[in-house]
Amino acid sequence: MTSFPITSITGMTRDDGRPTDDFYETPPQATAALLAVEKFTPKIWEPACGRGAISKELKRLGFDVISTDLYDHGYGEPDHDFLVTDYGVRAGTTSIITNPPFSLALEFAQRGVEFINQTDGKMALLARLQWLESIRRKGFFESSPLSAVWIFSRRLPMMHRPDYDGDPVSSLMAFAWFLWTCGHIGPPRLGWLDWKDHYEVPLDNLPLFQT
């Protein structure tokens, strides 16, 4: 799930200040490319599942996926606020793959690091490459176990809103997968992905599961 601050466009917010229904669905190519270069435990938590874009691709690749969201988009289990719930721990997951609401990306990352430190796990967040910038996030990046940043050298297909019915186009923004691994020490690994090299690759050619 990718989101952008709708409040700046429409002024619509919930009582708690969060944008309402501000998600753009993650193209399956993004998830497939991640799994071509990173291994994860067989059970994954997707805590911002939206309509299941990431979860469905993970299931296609053979993962057991726990899908939750704060809102009810018709997929997964709604009414789970990732920033406060321990649902993933209780469900027996140790790893997270998600595309958080953009306006809450830092909060998602901070909460996710708490989770993987508790479960000895791993987390992947899809975010704009520009997210690396900012004085506000600098301290978090330097103090957290950020283990890798995988940059999409080819722009991802546009993350359209669910009601979009036009022709697919490429995104105007650069995206990357940000990885955190419990216990990682040192600078993150930097790598590049071309999603066209990995989408619909035979499953036998993907690393997939972490042993």
Side-chain angles (χ1 to χ4, degrees):
M1 181 183 79
T2 295
S3 62
F4 303 89
I6 277 184
T7 52
S8 63
I9 302 173
T10 66
M12 297 169 57
T13 61
R14 287 163 36 102
D15 292 340
D16 60 9
R18 300 187 187 184
T20 57
D21 195 26
D22 65 337
F23 81 94
Y24 286 61
E25 293 193 294
T26 306
Q29 294 91 333
T31 306
L34 171 67
L35 273 298
V37 294
E38 292 283 346
K39 292 183 179 180
F40 289 85
T41 52
K43 194 171 187 179
I44 302 290
W45 185 15
E46 215 297 38
C49 68
R51 299 203 307 181
I54 290 178
S55 297
K56 291 174 183 177
E57 184 64 11
L58 288 172
K59 287 185 175 182
R60 183 185 76 84
L61 297 172
F63 288 88
D64 180 12
V65 187
I66 304 299
S67 303
T68 63
D69 201 296
L70 180 61
Y71 302 104
D72 186 356
H73 295 290
Y75 188 92
E77 299 183 38
D79 302 319
H80 290 281
D81 187 342
F82 176 65
L83 301 184
V84 297
T85 186
D86 65 349
Y87 184 80
V89 175
R90 290 185 281 113
T93 58
T94 61
S95 298
I96 290 171
I97 298 178
T98 192
N99 190 346
F102 177 72
S103 59
L104 295 171
L106 177 58
E107 289 82 357
F108 260 65
Q110 291 170 329
R111 179 69 183 96
V113 167
E114 292 176 358
F115 170 82
I116 65 169
N117 284 340
Q118 183 177 357
T119 63
D120 192 23
K122 185 175 182 178
M123 172 176 64
L125 264 61
L126 184 66
R128 295 191 302 179
L129 181 58
Q130 187 181 3
W131 196 56
L132 275 172
E133 300 176 350
S134 151
I135 294 298
R136 177 174 174 240
R137 292 185 288 272
K138 178 176 180 289
F140 168 70
F141 284 134
E142 291 179 333
S143 62
S144 66
L146 182 66
S147 56
V149 178
W150 288 101
I151 302 165
F152 282 100
S153 52
R154 184 189 304 271
R155 296 291 170 90
L156 286 171
M158 180 66 79
M159 299 183 193
H160 295 294
R161 293 188 61 81
D163 56 359
Y164 178 80
D165 60 1
D167 294 331
V169 296
S170 295
S171 173
L172 298 177
M173 291 179 287
F175 281 86
W177 281 108
F178 293 75
L179 277 290
W180 287 264
T181 303
C182 180
H184 175 79
I185 298 174
R189 181 166 41 116
L190 189 63
W192 285 263
L193 289 174
D194 183 342
W195 57 265
K196 282 194 172 182
D197 291 340
H198 305 293
Y199 189 52
E200 295 185 348
V201 169
L203 298 187
D204 290 344
N205 293 345
L206 295 177
L208 293 180
F209 299 125
Q210 178 177 311
T211 57

mmCIF file with all atom_site columns, all heavy atoms in Angstrom, residues 116-136:
data_model
loop_
_atom_site.group_PDB
_atom_site.id
_atom_site.type_symbol
_atom_site.label_atom_id
_atom_site.label_alt_id
_atom_site.label_comp_id
_atom_site.label_asym_id
_atom_site.label_entity_id
_atom_site.label_seq_id
_atom_site.pdbx_PDB_ins_code
_atom_site.Cartn_x
_atom_site.Cartn_y
_atom_site.Cartn_z
_atom_site.occupancy
_atom_site.B_iso_or_equiv
_atom_site.pdbx_formal_charge
_atom_site.auth_seq_id
_atom_site.auth_comp_id
_atom_site.auth_asym_id
_atom_site.auth_atom_id
_atom_site.pdbx_PDB_model_num
ATOM 1   N N   . ILE A 1 116 ? 10.783 -6.205  14.918 1.00 0.00 ? 116 ILE A N   1
ATOM 2   C CA  . ILE A 1 116 ? 11.819 -7.171  14.525 1.00 0.00 ? 116 ILE A CA  1
ATOM 3   C C   . ILE A 1 116 ? 12.840 -7.372  15.631 1.00 0.00 ? 116 ILE A C   1
ATOM 4   O O   . ILE A 1 116 ? 13.445 -8.450  15.739 1.00 0.00 ? 116 ILE A O   1
ATOM 5   C CB  . ILE A 1 116 ? 12.513 -6.777  13.209 1.00 0.00 ? 116 ILE A CB  1
ATOM 6   C CG1 . ILE A 1 116 ? 13.301 -5.467  13.356 1.00 0.00 ? 116 ILE A CG1 1
ATOM 7   C CG2 . ILE A 1 116 ? 11.509 -6.699  12.076 1.00 0.00 ? 116 ILE A CG2 1
ATOM 8   C CD1 . ILE A 1 116 ? 14.224 -5.173  12.173 1.00 0.00 ? 116 ILE A CD1 1
ATOM 9   N N   . ASN A 1 117 ? 13.054 -6.364  16.473 1.00 0.00 ? 117 ASN A N   1
ATOM 10  C CA  . ASN A 1 117 ? 13.949 -6.549  17.605 1.00 0.00 ? 117 ASN A CA  1
ATOM 11  C C   . ASN A 1 117 ? 13.339 -7.519  18.615 1.00 0.00 ? 117 ASN A C   1
ATOM 12  O O   . ASN A 1 117 ? 14.063 -8.245  19.308 1.00 0.00 ? 117 ASN A O   1
ATOM 13  C CB  . ASN A 1 117 ? 14.248 -5.219  18.279 1.00 0.00 ? 117 ASN A CB  1
ATOM 14  C CG  . ASN A 1 117 ? 15.248 -4.381  17.482 1.00 0.00 ? 117 ASN A CG  1
ATOM 15  O OD1 . ASN A 1 117 ? 15.987 -4.914  16.648 1.00 0.00 ? 117 ASN A OD1 1
ATOM 16  N ND2 . ASN A 1 117 ? 15.262 -3.078  17.726 1.00 0.00 ? 117 ASN A ND2 1
ATOM 17  N N   . GLN A 1 118 ? 12.022 -7.539  18.679 1.00 0.00 ? 118 GLN A N   1
ATOM 18  C CA  . GLN A 1 118 ? 11.331 -8.450  19.586 1.00 0.00 ? 118 GLN A CA  1
ATOM 19  C C   . GLN A 1 118 ? 11.281 -9.870  19.035 1.00 0.00 ? 118 GLN A C   1
ATOM 20  O O   . GLN A 1 118 ? 11.342 -10.838 19.794 1.00 0.00 ? 118 GLN A O   1
ATOM 21  C CB  . GLN A 1 118 ? 9.908  -7.944  19.832 1.00 0.00 ? 118 GLN A CB  1
ATOM 22  C CG  . GLN A 1 118 ? 9.097  -8.768  20.818 1.00 0.00 ? 118 GLN A CG  1
ATOM 23  C CD  . GLN A 1 118 ? 7.716  -8.174  21.069 1.00 0.00 ? 118 GLN A CD  1
ATOM 24  O OE1 . GLN A 1 118 ? 7.361  -7.123  20.555 1.00 0.00 ? 118 GLN A OE1 1
ATOM 25  N NE2 . GLN A 1 118 ? 6.922  -8.866  21.876 1.00 0.00 ? 118 GLN A NE2 1
ATOM 26  N N   . THR A 1 119 ? 11.201 -9.980  17.707 1.00 0.00 ? 119 THR A N   1
ATOM 27  C CA  . THR A 1 119 ? 11.017 -11.303 17.082 1.00 0.00 ? 119 THR A CA  1
ATOM 28  C C   . THR A 1 119 ? 12.282 -11.839 16.415 1.00 0.00 ? 119 THR A C   1
ATOM 29  O O   . THR A 1 119 ? 12.243 -12.923 15.825 1.00 0.00 ? 119 THR A O   1
ATOM 30  C CB  . THR A 1 119 ? 9.914  -11.230 16.019 1.00 0.00 ? 119 THR A CB  1
ATOM 31  O OG1 . THR A 1 119 ? 10.311 -10.332 14.972 1.00 0.00 ? 119 THR A OG1 1
ATOM 32  C CG2 . THR A 1 119 ? 8.592  -10.754 16.621 1.00 0.00 ? 119 THR A CG2 1
ATOM 33  N N   . ASP A 1 120 ? 13.392 -11.071 16.493 1.00 0.00 ? 120 ASP A N   1
ATOM 34  C CA  . ASP A 1 120 ? 14.623 -11.453 15.785 1.00 0.00 ? 120 ASP A CA  1
ATOM 35  C C   . ASP A 1 120 ? 14.333 -11.605 14.291 1.00 0.00 ? 120 ASP A C   1
ATOM 36  O O   . ASP A 1 120 ? 14.745 -12.564 13.652 1.00 0.00 ? 120 ASP A O   1
ATOM 37  C CB  . ASP A 1 120 ? 15.200 -12.750 16.346 1.00 0.00 ? 120 ASP A CB  1
ATOM 38  C CG  . ASP A 1 120 ? 16.620 -13.020 15.847 1.00 0.00 ? 120 ASP A CG  1
ATOM 39  O OD1 . ASP A 1 120 ? 17.301 -12.048 15.453 1.00 0.00 ? 120 ASP A OD1 1
ATOM 40  O OD2 . ASP A 1 120 ? 17.037 -14.192 15.833 1.00 0.00 ? 120 ASP A OD2 1
ATOM 41  N N   . GLY A 1 121 ? 13.628 -10.622 13.748 1.00 0.00 ? 121 GLY A N   1
ATOM 42  C CA  . GLY A 1 121 ? 13.133 -10.727 12.384 1.00 0.00 ? 121 GLY A CA  1
ATOM 43  C C   . GLY A 1 121 ? 13.705 -9.720  11.416 1.00 0.00 ? 121 GLY A C   1
ATOM 44  O O   . GLY A 1 121 ? 14.801 -9.181  11.592 1.00 0.00 ? 121 GLY A O   1
ATOM 45  N N   . LYS A 1 122 ? 12.907 -9.449  10.379 1.00 0.00 ? 122 LYS A N   1
ATOM 46  C CA  . LYS A 1 122 ? 13.343 -8.647  9.246  1.00 0.00 ? 122 LYS A CA  1
ATOM 47  C C   . LYS A 1 122 ? 12.142 -7.870  8.709  1.00 0.00 ? 122 LYS A C   1
ATOM 48  O O   . LYS A 1 122 ? 11.014 -8.377  8.733  1.00 0.00 ? 122 LYS A O   1
ATOM 49  C CB  . LYS A 1 122 ? 13.908 -9.577  8.169  1.00 0.00 ? 122 LYS A CB  1
ATOM 50  C CG  . LYS A 1 122 ? 14.521 -8.920  6.948  1.00 0.00 ? 122 LYS A CG  1
ATOM 51  C CD  . LYS A 1 122 ? 15.128 -10.032 6.078  1.00 0.00 ? 122 LYS A CD  1
ATOM 52  C CE  . LYS A 1 122 ? 15.816 -9.496  4.854  1.00 0.00 ? 122 LYS A CE  1
ATOM 53  N NZ  . LYS A 1 122 ? 16.434 -10.594 4.064  1.00 0.00 ? 122 LYS A NZ  1
ATOM 54  N N   . MET A 1 123 ? 12.382 -6.668  8.225  1.00 0.00 ? 123 MET A N   1
ATOM 55  C CA  . MET A 1 123 ? 11.298 -5.834  7.711  1.00 0.00 ? 123 MET A CA  1
ATOM 56  C C   . MET A 1 123 ? 11.716 -5.184  6.406  1.00 0.00 ? 123 MET A C   1
ATOM 57  O O   . MET A 1 123 ? 12.838 -4.704  6.261  1.00 0.00 ? 123 MET A O   1
ATOM 58  C CB  . MET A 1 123 ? 10.943 -4.747  8.732  1.00 0.00 ? 123 MET A CB  1
ATOM 59  C CG  . MET A 1 123 ? 9.964  -3.695  8.219  1.00 0.00 ? 123 MET A CG  1
ATOM 60  S SD  . MET A 1 123 ? 9.482  -2.488  9.469  1.00 0.00 ? 123 MET A SD  1
ATOM 61  C CE  . MET A 1 123 ? 11.074 -1.675  9.818  1.00 0.00 ? 123 MET A CE  1
ATOM 62  N N   . ALA A 1 124 ? 10.768 -5.145  5.451  1.00 0.00 ? 124 ALA A N   1
ATOM 63  C CA  . ALA A 1 124 ? 10.968 -4.432  4.189  1.00 0.00 ? 124 ALA A CA  1
ATOM 64  C C   . ALA A 1 124 ? 9.841  -3.424  4.019  1.00 0.00 ? 124 ALA A C   1
ATOM 65  O O   . ALA A 1 124 ? 8.665  -3.781  4.088  1.00 0.00 ? 124 ALA A O   1
ATOM 66  C CB  . ALA A 1 124 ? 10.987 -5.410  3.020  1.00 0.00 ? 124 ALA A CB  1
ATOM 67  N N   . LEU A 1 125 ? 10.216 -2.167  3.806  1.00 0.00 ? 125 LEU A N   1
ATOM 68  C CA  . LEU A 1 125 ? 9.254  -1.103  3.556  1.00 0.00 ? 125 LEU A CA  1
ATOM 69  C C   . LEU A 1 125 ? 9.512  -0.513  2.178  1.00 0.00 ? 125 LEU A C   1
ATOM 70  O O   . LEU A 1 125 ? 10.653 -0.164  1.854  1.00 0.00 ? 125 LEU A O   1
ATOM 71  C CB  . LEU A 1 125 ? 9.384  0.015   4.593  1.00 0.00 ? 125 LEU A CB  1
ATOM 72  C CG  . LEU A 1 125 ? 8.447  -0.004  5.808  1.00 0.00 ? 125 LEU A CG  1
ATOM 73  C CD1 . LEU A 1 125 ? 8.661  -1.276  6.618  1.00 0.00 ? 125 LEU A CD1 1
ATOM 74  C CD2 . LEU A 1 125 ? 8.671  1.227   6.673  1.00 0.00 ? 125 LEU A CD2 1
ATOM 75  N N   . LEU A 1 126 ? 8.475  -0.394  1.386  1.00 0.00 ? 126 LEU A N   1
ATOM 76  C CA  . LEU A 1 126 ? 8.571  0.280   0.097  1.00 0.00 ? 126 LEU A CA  1
ATOM 77  C C   . LEU A 1 126 ? 8.288  1.761   0.307  1.00 0.00 ? 126 LEU A C   1
ATOM 78  O O   . LEU A 1 126 ? 7.257  2.123   0.879  1.00 0.00 ? 126 LEU A O   1
ATOM 79  C CB  . LEU A 1 126 ? 7.571  -0.309  -0.901 1.00 0.00 ? 126 LEU A CB  1
ATOM 80  C CG  . LEU A 1 126 ? 7.630  0.244   -2.324 1.00 0.00 ? 126 LEU A CG  1
ATOM 81  C CD1 . LEU A 1 126 ? 8.952  -0.121  -3.002 1.00 0.00 ? 126 LEU A CD1 1
ATOM 82  C CD2 . LEU A 1 126 ? 6.459  -0.278  -3.150 1.00 0.00 ? 126 LEU A CD2 1
ATOM 83  N N   . ALA A 1 127 ? 9.202  2.603   -0.126 1.00 0.00 ? 127 ALA A N   1
ATOM 84  C CA  . ALA A 1 127 ? 9.034  4.047   0.055  1.00 0.00 ? 127 ALA A CA  1
ATOM 85  C C   . ALA A 1 127 ? 9.726  4.780   -1.081 1.00 0.00 ? 127 ALA A C   1
ATOM 86  O O   . ALA A 1 127 ? 10.529 4.195   -1.820 1.00 0.00 ? 127 ALA A O   1
ATOM 87  C CB  . ALA A 1 127 ? 9.614  4.488   1.405  1.00 0.00 ? 127 ALA A CB  1
ATOM 88  N N   . ARG A 1 128 ? 9.397  6.040   -1.200 1.00 0.00 ? 128 ARG A N   1
ATOM 89  C CA  . ARG A 1 128 ? 10.066 6.859   -2.205 1.00 0.00 ? 128 ARG A CA  1
ATOM 90  C C   . ARG A 1 128 ? 11.557 6.950   -1.879 1.00 0.00 ? 128 ARG A C   1
ATOM 91  O O   . ARG A 1 128 ? 11.941 7.036   -0.718 1.00 0.00 ? 128 ARG A O   1
ATOM 92  C CB  . ARG A 1 128 ? 9.464  8.262   -2.242 1.00 0.00 ? 128 ARG A CB  1
ATOM 93  C CG  . ARG A 1 128 ? 8.015  8.297   -2.683 1.00 0.00 ? 128 ARG A CG  1
ATOM 94  C CD  . ARG A 1 128 ? 7.540  9.701   -2.949 1.00 0.00 ? 128 ARG A CD  1
ATOM 95  N NE  . ARG A 1 128 ? 7.686  10.570  -1.790 1.00 0.00 ? 128 ARG A NE  1
ATOM 96  C CZ  . ARG A 1 128 ? 7.360  11.856  -1.787 1.00 0.00 ? 128 ARG A CZ  1
ATOM 97  N NH1 . ARG A 1 128 ? 6.874  12.426  -2.882 1.00 0.00 ? 128 ARG A NH1 1
ATOM 98  N NH2 . ARG A 1 128 ? 7.510  12.586  -0.698 1.00 0.00 ? 128 ARG A NH2 1
ATOM 99  N N   . LEU A 1 129 ? 12.390 6.945   -2.896 1.00 0.00 ? 129 LEU A N   1
ATOM 100 C CA  . LEU A 1 129 ? 13.833 7.058   -2.684 1.00 0.00 ? 129 LEU A CA  1
ATOM 101 C C   . LEU A 1 129 ? 14.173 8.342   -1.941 1.00 0.00 ? 129 LEU A C   1
ATOM 102 O O   . LEU A 1 129 ? 15.097 8.380   -1.123 1.00 0.00 ? 129 LEU A O   1
ATOM 103 C CB  . LEU A 1 129 ? 14.555 7.007   -4.029 1.00 0.00 ? 129 LEU A CB  1
ATOM 104 C CG  . LEU A 1 129 ? 16.081 7.088   -4.000 1.00 0.00 ? 129 LEU A CG  1
ATOM 105 C CD1 . LEU A 1 129 ? 16.672 5.965   -3.158 1.00 0.00 ? 129 LEU A CD1 1
ATOM 106 C CD2 . LEU A 1 129 ? 16.632 7.046   -5.416 1.00 0.00 ? 129 LEU A CD2 1
ATOM 107 N N   . GLN A 1 130 ? 13.408 9.380   -2.179 1.00 0.00 ? 130 GLN A N   1
ATOM 108 C CA  . GLN A 1 130 ? 13.621 10.669  -1.524 1.00 0.00 ? 130 GLN A CA  1
ATOM 109 C C   . GLN A 1 130 ? 13.471 10.571  -0.001 1.00 0.00 ? 130 GLN A C   1
ATOM 110 O O   . GLN A 1 130 ? 13.926 11.447  0.729  1.00 0.00 ? 130 GLN A O   1
ATOM 111 C CB  . GLN A 1 130 ? 12.631 11.685  -2.091 1.00 0.00 ? 130 GLN A CB  1
ATOM 112 C CG  . GLN A 1 130 ? 12.840 13.111  -1.624 1.00 0.00 ? 130 GLN A CG  1
ATOM 113 C CD  . GLN A 1 130 ? 11.793 14.043  -2.210 1.00 0.00 ? 130 GLN A CD  1
ATOM 114 O OE1 . GLN A 1 130 ? 10.877 13.612  -2.914 1.00 0.00 ? 130 GLN A OE1 1
ATOM 115 N NE2 . GLN A 1 130 ? 11.916 15.336  -1.922 1.00 0.00 ? 130 GLN A NE2 1
ATOM 116 N N   . TRP A 1 131 ? 12.846 9.481   0.452  1.00 0.00 ? 131 TRP A N   1
ATOM 117 C CA  . TRP A 1 131 ? 12.646 9.296   1.885  1.00 0.00 ? 131 TRP A CA  1
ATOM 118 C C   . TRP A 1 131 ? 13.971 9.218   2.640  1.00 0.00 ? 131 TRP A C   1
ATOM 119 O O   . TRP A 1 131 ? 14.023 9.444   3.850  1.00 0.00 ? 131 TRP A O   1
ATOM 120 C CB  . TRP A 1 131 ? 11.831 8.021   2.103  1.00 0.00 ? 131 TRP A CB  1
ATOM 121 C CG  . TRP A 1 131 ? 11.230 7.880   3.461  1.00 0.00 ? 131 TRP A CG  1
ATOM 122 C CD1 . TRP A 1 131 ? 10.390 8.752   4.103  1.00 0.00 ? 131 TRP A CD1 1
ATOM 123 C CD2 . TRP A 1 131 ? 11.422 6.779   4.367  1.00 0.00 ? 131 TRP A CD2 1
ATOM 124 N NE1 . TRP A 1 131 ? 10.034 8.259   5.325  1.00 0.00 ? 131 TRP A NE1 1
ATOM 125 C CE2 . TRP A 1 131 ? 10.651 7.054   5.518  1.00 0.00 ? 131 TRP A CE2 1
ATOM 126 C CE3 . TRP A 1 131 ? 12.138 5.596   4.296  1.00 0.00 ? 131 TRP A CE3 1
ATOM 127 C CZ2 . TRP A 1 131 ? 10.596 6.183   6.603  1.00 0.00 ? 131 TRP A CZ2 1
ATOM 128 C CZ3 . TRP A 1 131 ? 12.091 4.733   5.369  1.00 0.00 ? 131 TRP A CZ3 1
ATOM 129 C CH2 . TRP A 1 131 ? 11.329 5.018   6.513  1.00 0.00 ? 131 TRP A CH2 1
ATOM 130 N N   . LEU A 1 132 ? 15.054 8.894   1.927  1.00 0.00 ? 132 LEU A N   1
ATOM 131 C CA  . LEU A 1 132 ? 16.374 8.871   2.558  1.00 0.00 ? 132 LEU A CA  1
ATOM 132 C C   . LEU A 1 132 ? 16.788 10.242  3.070  1.00 0.00 ? 132 LEU A C   1
ATOM 133 O O   . LEU A 1 132 ? 17.616 10.354  3.970  1.00 0.00 ? 132 LEU A O   1
ATOM 134 C CB  . LEU A 1 132 ? 17.425 8.372   1.563  1.00 0.00 ? 132 LEU A CB  1
ATOM 135 C CG  . LEU A 1 132 ? 17.626 6.867   1.423  1.00 0.00 ? 132 LEU A CG  1
ATOM 136 C CD1 . LEU A 1 132 ? 18.559 6.569   0.268  1.00 0.00 ? 132 LEU A CD1 1
ATOM 137 C CD2 . LEU A 1 132 ? 18.148 6.259   2.716  1.00 0.00 ? 132 LEU A CD2 1
ATOM 138 N N   . GLU A 1 133 ? 16.228 11.284  2.464  1.00 0.00 ? 133 GLU A N   1
ATOM 139 C CA  . GLU A 1 133 ? 16.572 12.636  2.875  1.00 0.00 ? 133 GLU A CA  1
ATOM 140 C C   . GLU A 1 133 ? 15.869 12.996  4.188  1.00 0.00 ? 133 GLU A C   1
ATOM 141 O O   . GLU A 1 133 ? 15.084 12.218  4.705  1.00 0.00 ? 133 GLU A O   1
ATOM 142 C CB  . GLU A 1 133 ? 16.159 13.633  1.789  1.00 0.00 ? 133 GLU A CB  1
ATOM 143 C CG  . GLU A 1 133 ? 16.806 13.410  0.441  1.00 0.00 ? 133 GLU A CG  1
ATOM 144 C CD  . GLU A 1 133 ? 16.283 14.362  -0.607 1.00 0.00 ? 133 GLU A CD  1
ATOM 145 O OE1 . GLU A 1 133 ? 15.290 15.063  -0.340 1.00 0.00 ? 133 GLU A OE1 1
ATOM 146 O OE2 . GLU A 1 133 ? 16.867 14.385  -1.701 1.00 0.00 ? 133 GLU A OE2 1
ATOM 147 N N   . SER A 1 134 ? 16.185 14.153  4.718  1.00 0.00 ? 134 SER A N   1
ATOM 148 C CA  . SER A 1 134 ? 15.515 14.761  5.866  1.00 0.00 ? 134 SER A CA  1
ATOM 149 C C   . SER A 1 134 ? 16.330 14.637  7.148  1.00 0.00 ? 134 SER A C   1
ATOM 150 O O   . SER A 1 134 ? 16.790 13.556  7.534  1.00 0.00 ? 134 SER A O   1
ATOM 151 C CB  . SER A 1 134 ? 14.127 14.169  6.084  1.00 0.00 ? 134 SER A CB  1
ATOM 152 O OG  . SER A 1 134 ? 13.728 14.193  7.414  1.00 0.00 ? 134 SER A OG  1
ATOM 153 N N   . ILE A 1 135 ? 16.500 15.770  7.812  1.00 0.00 ? 135 ILE A N   1
ATOM 154 C CA  . ILE A 1 135 ? 17.161 15.813  9.118  1.00 0.00 ? 135 ILE A CA  1
ATOM 155 C C   . ILE A 1 135 ? 16.344 15.019  10.130 1.00 0.00 ? 135 ILE A C   1
ATOM 156 O O   . ILE A 1 135 ? 16.890 14.351  11.013 1.00 0.00 ? 135 ILE A O   1
ATOM 157 C CB  . ILE A 1 135 ? 17.322 17.270  9.583  1.00 0.00 ? 135 ILE A CB  1
ATOM 158 C CG1 . ILE A 1 135 ? 18.292 18.013  8.653  1.00 0.00 ? 135 ILE A CG1 1
ATOM 159 C CG2 . ILE A 1 135 ? 17.808 17.322  11.024 1.00 0.00 ? 135 ILE A CG2 1
ATOM 160 C CD1 . ILE A 1 135 ? 19.689 17.443  8.644  1.00 0.00 ? 135 ILE A CD1 1
ATOM 161 N N   . ARG A 1 136 ? 15.011 15.067  9.994  1.00 0.00 ? 136 ARG A N   1
ATOM 162 C CA  . ARG A 1 136 ? 14.134 14.380  10.942 1.00 0.00 ? 136 ARG A CA  1
ATOM 163 C C   . ARG A 1 136 ? 14.393 12.881  10.960 1.00 0.00 ? 136 ARG A C   1
ATOM 164 O O   . ARG A 1 136 ? 14.339 12.236  12.012 1.00 0.00 ? 136 ARG A O   1
ATOM 165 C CB  . ARG A 1 136 ? 12.677 14.669  10.581 1.00 0.00 ? 136 ARG A CB  1
ATOM 166 C CG  . ARG A 1 136 ? 11.659 13.950  11.453 1.00 0.00 ? 136 ARG A CG  1
ATOM 167 C CD  . ARG A 1 136 ? 10.254 14.413  11.115 1.00 0.00 ? 136 ARG A CD  1
ATOM 168 N NE  . ARG A 1 136 ? 9.262  13.647  11.843 1.00 0.00 ? 136 ARG A NE  1
ATOM 169 C CZ  . ARG A 1 136 ? 8.319  12.911  11.284 1.00 0.00 ? 136 ARG A CZ  1
ATOM 170 N NH1 . ARG A 1 136 ? 8.238  12.841  9.964  1.00 0.00 ? 136 ARG A NH1 1
ATOM 171 N NH2 . ARG A 1 136 ? 7.438  12.258  12.002 1.00 0.00 ? 136 ARG A NH2 1
#
